[in-house]
Amino acid sequence: MSEITCKCGHVNPEGTELCLSCGRALTTDAEEKKTSDVMRYEGMARRSQTYNGSIIDKVWNFFSSVKVGVWLIVITLSASALGTIFPQVLFISPLEAPEVYYEERYGVAGEIYYILGFHDLYNSWWYLLLIAAIGTSIIIASLDRVIPLYKALKHQRVNRHASFMKRQRIYTEYPLYSSDTFSKIKDGLRNKRYRIREEDGNLLAEKGRFSRWGPYVNHTGLIIFLIGAMLRFVPGMYVDEVMWIREGETMAIPGTDQEYFLKSEGFTVETYDADEDKEVFGATIDRVGAIAKNFQTDAILLKREDGVAGDSSNLVEVEEHPIRVNQPFKFDNFALYQVDFRQGEFRSMSFNLVQKESGDSFGPFEIDLTQPEDEYQLDDDHRVELMGYYPDFSGFENGEPQSPSPVPNNPAFLFKLFSPEHPDGEVAFIAIQQNLEPLGENDYQLSFNGVETRDVSGLTVRKDLTLWILALGGAIFMIGVVQGAYWNHRRVWVKRTEEGGMLVSGHTNKNWFGLRKDLEAAFTNTGLEQPKDQHEQNLNKVSAGGAKEEENRDTTS
Amino acid sequence: MNNRKKKRLIVRITILSVLIAAVVYTLYSTLTEDERMIVKAGDQAPDFVLTDLNGETHRLSDYKGQGVFLNFWGTWCKPCEKEMPYMENQYQAFKDQGVQILAVNVGESEFQVKNFAKKYNLSFPIVRDSQKDVMYSYAIGPLPTTLLINPEGEVVEVVKSGMDEETVASYMEMIKP
């Protein structure tokens, strides 16, 4: 481990570019670099670049590199862009199998898209690794820079070497040093709210140092944000479930650890009325038809006071509350959102037993589809036995009625009809618009008498305990941005030379115009010309005009 | 100097390990998201109480000391229908050896379940979970799902597909006290 001893005698750690004491450039490399680049981190050694021994150091140095960080961001952005070419798996119909869907629709490109995991980008392992690498890069690169920077600014000396002064962008050498001028400059800068340090007739005036921490505050906010996003995976922090509930039903609410139940008192859809809301909606209703006004589920929340799953004897009513779009029902960190509905699901059907020949009708009887009964007694002589119920009738297979789902989309029934003429019963199969008499012609038939329907509410159950962390991260992020963007770190050095002259130089991380204005104010009473901006002079030489006044390209935030 | 270097190494290792741990945890959680919430092998089976078709209540914890073959099913589900007779056969073989079957029907009417049981002559207890309460507590996804619970009340295996008769038998053998 070698150290660098400066001409002034100060011992600097390896990798240092500008002597920590006097500010001399320590290497020819540093001497040739642009001043703004050297000054970005005050010429401090970035620790990453100085130790490269073990594998740990190599990993550390990899992530410490800003170049690597930028590439990681570029790659992540490109991947995100590619992920928008075909729809994400979330948005394709749940009935489609993704492994087939992409290939069938988009050919080879779709297949590659699927295999590489672009179809579910945010859950792809490699995308998550990229995000993790960016997070790591932010943490390590920041640590590697903010610590030396903090130390350098904290320990900076008032008296700098002439070569340090000379290479600053604002620099002028005055032939004569007088304590009068010196104190005028000092007072002028103090009036501009610079913090003044003085040593043997030398001066360091500084303001807005805290703006240098902006990027690191910003990064802290980002990291907090990432932590918040990560916490979603911790059980109990985040719930996102879907539940369907029919009018009148009481169901367990998923994701609540079997604690809460919901009863639906009813679902309503309202539309704007062409007469009532004529002023606002009249024209639009004429043009496009009905406009939805409200989707609402009237719900009652129940809580299981005690007991295990399946035991609903101890449900206590907690609260009655409507659930409307964008107006969720909130309770105990949970929120129920109205997101979907299905109207007109069959709830019950009723029939009459009719003798075909005479037209005599018996009944009606009603079948509640949620709890059909074995037998319906119509009068002393006539009864109907229910032999089979197929809620989602799709056809026959080996003579047997099929129902591929438990949802009553297309209810069908197998009946046995008992009458005085047929004490052993006649078999009838009834579905919507379908009447079969599988065992031969019957004397009796069932005639459809009516149907009752009900609506089904689709609700999202959401719990997110990470929101405040995300908000906090976002707020800190913005504070960092503001801190770094609206303030600048300005410094002015005044040095008395051994020959009795005076050197004045200035540096700022951005907004050189502001620094020049400060200097102008500080120098008005001195009778001296204000220190010159060498960069601007060069520009003037080149373009021979003042058009580049605002050229402040080399910012060093 | 050596001391400083050592300290630096320790600091770096610490920070990197924290980061790696966070990344591994996140990756693991994401990639196993579907599986994560479900009751897994090794977990204590959540207790529940449900009523069967004869009006008798069955509480899982009352079966401690016996193996429980816990099957979630629906009448409309083909693979469920297929494995029911196998379960019935093996139930006859294993019920005297301390293996109990509890078949939990999810959300269907008593009529349908009774009809189904009659059709296949099922003699093991069939309970109905009409509010999907027990289904949520086990985070059951597609049907059929079968959990094998040993006499200590611990889940030995979660089977998320239909089974043939041999498999049913071997699973029952597995949870025999």
Side-chain angles (χ1 to χ4, degrees):
Chain A
M1 188 53 50
S2 62
E3 294 164 332
I4 310 174
T5 310
C6 177
K7 283 178 198 147
C8 72
H10 188 82
V11 181
N12 297 288
E14 193 199 7
T16 312
E17 293 179 314
L18 300 179
C19 171
L20 296 179
S21 172
C22 67
R24 261 189 213 118
L26 294 174
T27 57
T28 46
D29 189 40
E31 230 165 298
E32 282 158 12
K33 263 190 177 164
K34 265 168 69 184
T35 305
S36 57
D37 287 345
V38 180
M39 289 297 284
R40 180 170 291 132
Y41 305 113
E42 297 295 310
M44 282 293 276
R46 255 154 291 154
R47 292 188 290 177
S48 60
Q49 295 174 346
T50 57
Y51 301 92
N52 209 350
S54 61
I55 179 91
I56 294 287
D57 289 332
K58 286 200 168 103
V59 171
W60 187 272
N61 293 347
F62 175 77
F63 284 112
S64 175
S65 158
V66 170
K67 220 182 254 174
V68 167
V70 169
W71 271 111
L72 285 171
I73 292 171
V74 169
I75 294 169
T76 309
L77 284 180
S78 319
S80 307
L82 285 174
T84 65
I85 292 180
F86 301 137
Q88 289 286 295
V89 74
L90 196 67
F91 299 113
I92 71 172
S93 156
L95 301 175
E96 307 259 15
E99 58 269 28
V100 187
Y101 177 86
Y102 287 97
E103 195 189 345
E104 230 166 51
R105 249 185 124 123
Y106 306 109
V108 182
E111 199 183 353
I112 295 170
Y113 193 81
Y114 176 78
I115 290 170
L116 293 182
F118 278 104
H119 70 292
D120 191 13
L121 195 63
Y122 296 147
N123 291 315
S124 287
W125 61 269
W126 57 266
Y127 190 84
L128 288 170
L129 276 184
L130 275 176
I131 299 287
I134 290 178
T136 311
S137 160
I138 288 172
I139 292 175
I140 291 180
S142 298
L143 277 179
D144 251 6
R145 282 165 180 79
V146 73
I147 292 170
L149 181 64
Y150 175 79
K151 282 185 181 162
L153 289 175
K154 190 174 180 201
H155 299 303
Q156 63 182 323
R157 303 290 168 91
V158 174
N159 190 11
R160 294 298 182 109
H161 188 256
S163 68
F164 174 86
M165 307 277 285
K166 236 171 239 170
R167 61 179 296 171
Q168 297 305 319
R169 186 169 140 179
I170 290 187
Y171 169 75
T172 298
E173 188 175 350
Y174 298 94
L176 210 64
Y177 177 94
S178 83
S179 52
D180 183 45
T181 333
F182 182 82
S183 56
K184 274 180 183 157
I185 297 172
K186 189 173 78 181
D187 291 342
L189 287 170
R190 183 174 283 138
N191 283 339
K192 283 283 170 192
R193 287 196 244 164
Y194 281 73
R195 267 176 300 127
I196 307 289
R197 279 172 65 198
E198 222 182 314
E199 220 171 71
D200 309 328
N202 302 307
L203 177 96
L204 166 60
E206 181 180 16
K207 79 171 177 188
R209 188 196 287 182
F210 95 115
S211 111
R212 295 288 284 274
W213 315 132
Y216 308 104
V217 171
N218 168 282
H219 285 175
T220 309
L222 260 182
I223 295 301
I224 292 174
F225 195 94
L226 281 180
I227 290 174
M230 212 177 77
L231 283 180
R232 282 196 166 183
F233 296 114
V234 176
M237 293 295 276
Y238 182 75
V239 169
D240 184 9
E241 302 271 0
V242 177
M243 71 180 288
W244 287 91
I245 186 164
R246 300 177 169 97
E247 286 176 313
E249 256 183 356
T250 302
M251 299 296 280
I253 305 178
T256 61
D257 286 333
Q258 285 61 59
E259 202 182 341
Y260 289 103
F261 288 73
L262 196 73
K263 180 162 196 265
S264 167
E265 292 281 274
F267 173 79
T268 30
V269 182
E270 287 173 70
T271 52
Y272 285 102
D273 191 273
D275 299 321
E276 245 170 70
D277 313 293
K278 196 168 184 68
E279 217 171 288
V280 183
F281 293 101
T284 320
I285 291 173
D286 286 345
R287 203 176 68 237
V288 301
I291 300 170
K293 182 179 183 179
N294 186 24
F295 300 96
Q296 178 171 331
T297 303
D298 292 307
I300 297 176
L301 179 71
L302 303 154
K303 185 176 179 178
R304 172 152 43 210
E305 292 284 286
D306 132 69
V308 295
D311 174 8
S312 49
S313 58
N314 286 312
L315 297 189
V316 179
E317 193 174 316
V318 182
E319 201 186 341
E320 197 172 338
H321 197 287
I323 307 172
R324 309 170 68 184
V325 173
N326 290 336
Q327 290 171 29
F329 178 7
K330 292 190 173 173
F331 60 92
D332 189 16
N333 287 324
F334 288 97
L336 294 171
Y337 290 86
Q338 177 71 51
V339 291
D340 205 351
F341 66 96
R342 218 163 47 219
Q343 267 178 315
E345 187 183 278
F346 295 117
R347 202 190 81 81
S348 70
M349 297 176 104
S350 64
F351 300 92
N352 281 311
L353 181 67
V354 178
Q355 191 182 17
K356 287 180 184 171
E357 209 169 301
S358 64
D360 288 347
S361 171
F362 306 89
F365 65 97
E366 188 188 69
I367 302 175
D368 180 344
L369 299 184
T370 57
Q371 39 190 347
E373 283 163 39
D374 295 329
E375 193 180 275
Y376 298 86
Q377 192 75 43
L378 305 179
D379 61 17
D380 289 344
D381 304 323
H382 298 84
R383 64 187 176 94
V384 171
E385 207 182 284
L386 183 60
M387 294 164 72
Y389 165 47
Y390 314 94
D392 194 7
F393 176 63
S394 63
F396 293 91
E397 210 170 276
N398 301 326
E400 196 141 344
Q402 301 295 310
S403 174
S405 93
V407 187
N409 292 324
N410 184 26
F413 309 89
L414 189 63
F415 290 110
K416 213 169 205 180
L417 316 174
F418 292 90
S419 54
E421 298 92 317
H422 296 281
D424 294 333
E426 299 173 299
V427 176
F429 180 82
I430 299 221
I432 293 172
Q433 312 219 324
Q434 205 172 356
N435 260 325
L436 297 178
E437 294 170 356
L439 303 181
E441 186 90 356
N442 294 341
D443 291 336
Y444 281 82
Q445 67 174 13
L446 286 174
S447 76
F448 187 62
N449 185 56
V451 60
E452 260 180 61
T453 63
R454 58 177 169 179
D455 300 337
V456 194
S457 307
L459 306 174
T460 290
V461 185
R462 181 72 53 83
K463 171 185 177 181
D464 193 348
L465 297 184
T466 69
L467 274 181
W468 68 272
I469 302 173
L470 300 184
L472 178 73
I476 292 175
F477 179 101
M478 281 315 294
I479 290 172
V481 171
V482 169
Q483 196 176 331
Y486 294 113
W487 277 268
N488 347 108
H489 180 214
R490 298 172 190 169
R491 276 175 293 174
V492 176
W493 293 273
V494 179
K495 182 183 172 75
R496 173 159 68 175
T497 61
E498 279 163 18
E499 297 80 31
M502 178 173 78
L503 307 182
V504 179
S505 62
H507 179 79
T508 179
N509 61 340
K510 58 171 67 116
N511 188 4
W512 291 87
F513 179 74
L515 178 60
R516 286 200 301 275
K517 293 292 276 185
D518 286 351
L519 285 169
E520 190 189 323
F523 275 75
T524 33
N525 293 327
T526 58
L528 297 173
E529 220 178 294
Q530 78 172 90
K532 292 190 181 58
D533 187 333
Q534 308 186 61
H535 179 68
E536 189 164 283
Q537 280 182 330
N538 293 341
L539 280 179
N540 287 346
K541 258 182 246 161
V542 175
S543 66
K548 296 278 175 103
E549 176 77 14
E550 284 300 320
E551 171 101 30
N552 287 326
R553 225 183 264 149
D554 39 355
T555 52
T556 53
S557 62
Chain B
M1 204 65 206
N2 245 342
N3 227 342
R4 254 172 68 187
K5 213 173 154 186
K6 210 167 160 188
K7 208 177 113 198
R8 177 154 316 173
L9 190 68
I10 290 169
V11 168
R12 285 183 177 183
I13 289 176
T14 316
I15 293 176
L16 284 174
S17 352
V18 170
L19 289 174
I20 289 171
V23 172
V24 168
Y25 178 76
T26 311
L27 266 183
Y28 172 79
S29 312
T30 314
L31 299 179
T32 58
E33 203 176 359
D34 302 334
E35 317 271 314
R36 205 161 41 98
M37 298 312 287
I38 200 171
V39 175
K40 288 183 294 287
D43 292 351
Q44 200 65 26
D47 198 11
F48 65 85
V49 52
L50 287 172
T51 309
D52 70 12
L53 300 172
N54 306 321
E56 274 174 54
T57 56
H58 294 262
R59 193 183 172 120
L60 181 66
S61 50
D62 291 343
Y63 289 103
K64 274 234 168 95
Q66 297 183 54
V68 177
F69 188 96
L70 180 62
N71 177 259
F72 287 86
W73 69 285
T75 60
W76 48 274
C77 138
K78 284 283 156 199
C80 305
E81 193 171 354
K82 200 173 153 221
E83 69 190 8
M84 280 293 178
Y86 307 149
M87 282 161 58
E88 176 61 30
N89 291 345
Q90 295 310 314
Y91 177 64
Q92 295 305 336
F94 278 91
K95 68 177 175 187
D96 298 329
Q97 301 179 46
V99 177
Q100 178 69 20
I101 290 184
L102 277 180
V104 181
N105 175 276
V106 181
E108 283 179 290
S109 66
E110 192 173 350
F111 173 85
Q112 285 163 283
V113 179
K114 252 187 184 155
N115 237 13
F116 185 92
K118 218 189 313 171
K119 180 173 164 192
Y120 289 102
N121 248 328
L122 304 178
S123 60
F124 50 79
I126 299 177
V127 292
R128 289 195 310 127
D129 182 24
S130 52
Q131 297 177 320
K132 299 196 179 174
D133 194 9
V134 177
M135 178 186 166
Y136 289 146
S137 84
Y138 279 82
I140 298 298
L143 302 178
T145 297
T146 304
L147 289 101
L148 304 165
I149 300 167
N150 69 16
E152 287 75 47
E154 193 181 282
V155 177
V156 182
E157 194 161 332
V158 182
V159 189
K160 278 185 267 179
S161 58
M163 294 170 273
D164 56 28
E165 186 150 3
E166 271 170 54
T167 325
V168 173
S170 70
Y171 282 143
M172 291 206 169
E173 190 66 39
M174 212 159 93
I175 49 173
K176 213 167 69 176

